[in-house]
Amino acid sequence: MPEPIIKHIIKQVLNGLKVFHKKNLIHTDLKPENLLLKKEYRLIKNIDEIEIKISDLGSSIIEDEIDTYSVGTDQYLPPEVIMRANYDKTIDIWGIGNVIFELITGNNLIDPEQYFNSYESDSDNDDEEDDDEEGEDDDDNSSMCSDDDDDDCGDFEYIHTHISLFHKILGPIPKELIENGENFDLFFRKSGKLNRIPRFIDKTSIREVLESEYNFHDNKTVDNITDVLEFIFKYMPKDRPTIDQLLQHKWFDGDYKQQYQKILNKLSKGKK
């Protein structure tokens, strides 16, 4: 999808989300499937006619009455939800970042499903010394995957892959974010260090993913996309931008209609 159209869509979604948050509601499940066109695609003649509605409020919750971790769709959720720790309305901001990435590339940035079948192939066991209490370090979690409990093993592998992807692409998760989470002891040492990272996960940054997997080679484009995503993907909820702050980001600058026309002109010249 052309980037000017994505910006046009995301700007509408953010303005709609502002209404939710003012009413103290968290959508919890922002993803492309839940963004609907008001007008049939075939009837749209120009970018101004692209109007978006936010749908599927089935898992929406009141921020002051959070009583479940069973919200949203895994690929669009931040670490605190995956770790079953405290969360707030900023999970919707995190979701916006994932929607931007998916609309730009066609895929999720953090997608454990992509790697899940590779989990059993191998993992990096961390043999470095740690400051945990005796007997608490160098746990490779092998006891979680006994033949007697295949369901728990599958859940463990999936979540561990998910957490490892956060770690590899966005950096180590701060202990203070997830130490009170129900899953903390399963995946982390007392120091907050991740027990191990599967070797098959080789991604190291948003920029690398854009350049190596999706062939983005225009430095300005990569810089702008990386900058807005890194602005959004802050581990600590208090560090994530507000909706108004995000709308002020330079990625949203410019005349989208004019930008889109430039793309069309380039494509037209390429056909001649």
Side-chain angles (χ1 to χ4, degrees):
M1 184 181 295
E3 201 172 336
I5 292 180
I6 296 172
K7 294 176 184 179
H8 180 68
I9 289 172
I10 296 299
K11 200 166 188 176
Q12 292 182 65
V13 174
L14 286 170
N15 283 316
L17 191 58
K18 192 184 296 188
V19 176
F20 275 78
H21 288 184
K22 281 183 178 178
K23 294 180 180 295
N24 207 28
L25 290 171
I26 310 174
H27 186 281
T28 78
D29 198 19
L30 290 172
K31 56 185 178 180
E33 294 93 322
N34 289 339
L35 306 179
L36 307 180
L37 287 169
K38 286 187 178 181
K39 193 173 184 179
E40 285 187 52
Y41 180 76
R42 63 185 179 84
L43 299 177
I44 294 174
K45 300 292 190 292
N46 59 65
I47 193 170
D48 293 330
E49 295 183 5
I50 299 175
E51 295 184 78
I52 299 296
K53 295 190 295 185
I54 301 173
S55 69
D56 194 356
L57 310 183
S59 64
S60 296
I61 53 177
I62 299 172
E63 187 171 26
D64 296 335
E65 300 177 8
I66 295 174
D67 60 358
T68 180
Y69 299 108
S70 298
V71 296
T73 304
D74 288 349
Q75 291 92 329
Y76 304 88
L77 293 171
E80 63 266 29
V81 181
I82 302 303
M83 291 297 297
R84 301 178 71 82
N86 296 333
Y87 64 91
D88 59 23
K89 64 185 178 184
T90 64
I91 71 171
D92 284 341
I93 299 297
W94 187 281
I96 288 289
N98 284 297
V99 172
I100 291 172
F101 185 88
E102 184 172 351
L103 291 181
I104 288 173
T105 67
N107 292 300
N108 299 112
L109 175 63
I110 308 290
D111 187 4
E113 288 285 355
Q114 179 184 357
Y115 291 91
F116 190 55
N117 292 332
S118 303
Y119 185 93
E120 295 181 356
S121 63
D122 212 349
S123 294
D124 285 326
N125 288 309
D126 194 342
D127 294 323
E128 296 178 10
E129 292 185 3
D130 196 83
D131 58 0
D132 291 340
E133 294 179 6
E134 184 177 352
E136 296 292 338
D137 58 355
D138 297 325
D139 178 11
D140 67 0
N141 300 306
S142 58
S143 62
M144 287 294 298
C145 289
S146 65
D147 293 334
D148 298 328
D149 205 346
D150 289 340
D151 289 339
D152 282 351
C153 177
D155 290 344
F156 171 81
E157 292 173 356
Y158 183 87
I159 296 171
H160 185 250
T161 301
H162 201 157
I163 296 167
S164 298
L165 281 166
F166 286 131
H167 184 96
K168 290 284 280 190
I169 299 174
L170 303 175
I173 302 172
K175 180 183 177 183
E176 59 184 306
L177 177 67
I178 41 84
E179 63 183 333
N180 293 322
E182 293 179 9
N183 290 331
F184 181 79
D185 292 338
L186 293 177
F187 304 102
F188 292 85
R189 304 175 185 182
K190 286 186 176 180
S191 65
K193 192 172 185 179
L194 188 60
N195 279 324
R196 63 179 185 174
I197 304 169
R199 291 194 184 101
F200 55 78
I201 297 177
D202 55 3
K203 298 177 181 178
T204 59
S205 69
I206 294 172
R207 173 177 284 277
E208 182 188 357
V209 173
L210 289 171
E211 292 177 337
S212 65
E213 294 192 23
Y214 299 102
N215 298 314
F216 280 75
H217 299 303
D218 180 78
N219 286 332
K220 185 177 180 180
T221 299
V222 175
D223 286 345
N224 288 337
I225 296 172
T226 300
D227 194 71
V228 71
L229 293 178
E230 289 181 345
F231 185 56
I232 292 170
F233 291 134
K234 303 293 187 187
Y235 277 134
M236 300 306 297
K238 64 181 177 61
D239 296 330
R240 292 171 196 159
T242 64
I243 292 173
D244 286 332
Q245 288 172 337
L246 185 50
L247 285 168
Q248 293 301 312
H249 191 276
K250 63 182 180 181
W251 186 69
F252 289 100
D253 290 347
D255 183 326
Y256 305 151
K257 190 172 184 179
Q258 188 178 65
Q259 292 170 5
Y260 183 49
Q261 190 58 50
K262 285 182 179 179
I263 292 173
L264 293 179
N265 290 342
K266 286 182 179 179
L267 291 174
S268 179
K269 288 179 181 178
K271 291 179 180 178
K272 293 179 179 179

